[in-house]
């Protein structure tokens, strides 16, 4: 069984967050692993409020959450296009499901992924009336919360063969973009995969929720932010070339537009 990934890509000031909350990632049940990256569990009890920020991945999350001032509830969080901020105060708990890019579609096969993009919608919008939030959030035992997430998701994996085949294709292509540094242009990528650009765009719209170009740019920004936060000296011109930018200025502009400050300031 593969362990959940350990990197903190997308989490702004991960060390600051981890000193304030208990943060864990857990592996889902076997039938869910092709589609779910991991579960993420957070608990906190703060004497002072803290704002956490995340540069979203190109994926859908289910988020079961309970804050000090409101009862527990569940949401579908589509791919976020902007920097996400959440204020944490008092005591609270979140149990999240991070799907792989493209992996949410088999659980809502009748709806394209763009229906969720840049939206946070009640759980009932996707799955009908459900009291799953209480079932997931109430147990103090972490294993029981993981089991409750498994029990919620497994019966809702209900796509037919065509949707599953297209899901596998979309997930594979999105993962190629994430891991293959030689991919620089969408047109070249589509050609290498034997697809037209339009067909690739339609596939990503229906299954990932954003365009292949957006996915490519987001993973570049994640890489740049991780390098900036590493504490090591960064050759920004060399990194820009490595990530496929035409020049350093384009990389700095993308990072600044995403997090609000240039990468050198972000690193500090």
């Amino acid at each position: 069984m593969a362990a959940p990934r350990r990197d903190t890509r997308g989490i702004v000031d991960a060390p600051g967050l981890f000193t304030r909350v208990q943060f864990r990632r857990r592996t889902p049940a076997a039938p869910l692993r092709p589609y779910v990256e991991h579960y993420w569990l957070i608990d906190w009890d703060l004497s002072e409020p803290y704002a956490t920020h995340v540069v979203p991945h190109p994926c859908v999350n289910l988020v079961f959450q309970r804050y000090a001032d409101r009862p527990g509830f569940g949401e579908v969080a589509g791919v976020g296009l902007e920097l996400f901020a959440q204020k944490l105060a008092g005591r609270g708990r979140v149990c999240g499901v991070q799907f792989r890019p493209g992996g949410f579609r088999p659980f809502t096969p009748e709806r394209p992924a763009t229906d969720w993009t840049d939206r946070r919608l009640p759980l009932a919008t996707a799955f009908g009336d459900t009291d799953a939030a209480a079932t997931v959030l109430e147990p103090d035992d972490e294993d029981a919360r993981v089991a409750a997430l498994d029990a919620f998701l497994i019966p809702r994996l209900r796509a037919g063969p065509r949707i599953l085949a297209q899901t596998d294709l979309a997930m594979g292509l999105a993962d190629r973009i994430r891991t293959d540094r030689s991919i620089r242009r969408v047109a070249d990528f589509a050609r290498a995969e034997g697809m037209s650009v339009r067909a690739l765009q339609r596939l990503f719209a229906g299954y990932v929720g954003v365009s292949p170009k957006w996915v490519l740019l987001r993973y570049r920004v994640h890489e740049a932010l991780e390098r900036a936060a590493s504490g090591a000296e960064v050759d920004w011109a060399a990194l820009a070339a490595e990530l496929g930018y035409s020049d350093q200025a384009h990389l700095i502009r993308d990072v600044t537009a995403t997090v609000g400050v240039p990468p050198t300031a972000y690193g500090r």
Side-chain angles (χ1 to χ4, degrees), residues 10-11 13 23-24 39 44 47 58 66 90 94 114 143 151 175 181 208-209 212 214 217 222 226 243:
I11 303 175
D13 186 24
F23 179 93
R24 294 87 70 206
Y39 298 150
W44 65 90
S47 57
R66 185 177 68 209
V94 175
T114 47
D143 290 341
D175 192 61
R181 287 285 177 269
V208 182
W214 192 95
L217 291 175
H222 276 172
E226 185 172 60
L243 295 178

Side-chain angles (χ1 to χ4, degrees), residues 155-235:
R156 291 169 171 84
L157 180 55
R158 54 190 177 83
R162 178 184 174 279
I163 293 289
L164 291 178
Q166 292 293 97
T167 296
D168 287 345
L169 177 60
M171 290 192 302
L173 294 175
D175 192 61
R176 280 269 326 271
I177 292 174
R178 180 179 66 85
T179 58
D180 188 344
R181 287 285 177 269
S182 70
I183 298 171
R184 305 291 181 86
R185 298 178 66 251
V186 170
D188 294 339
F189 179 51
R191 188 180 307 110
E193 296 296 329
M195 304 174 69
S196 69
V197 171
R198 182 61 187 143
L200 182 65
Q201 290 170 335
R202 284 197 302 267
L203 178 70
F204 271 58
Y207 289 80
V208 182
V210 286
S211 71
K213 181 178 180 179
W214 192 95
V215 174
L216 181 60
L217 291 175
R218 178 49 53 92
Y219 282 138
R220 286 174 173 177
V221 168
H222 276 172
E223 176 75 18
L225 292 175
E226 185 172 60
R227 298 282 189 95
S230 68
E233 187 73 23
V234 179
D235 182 337

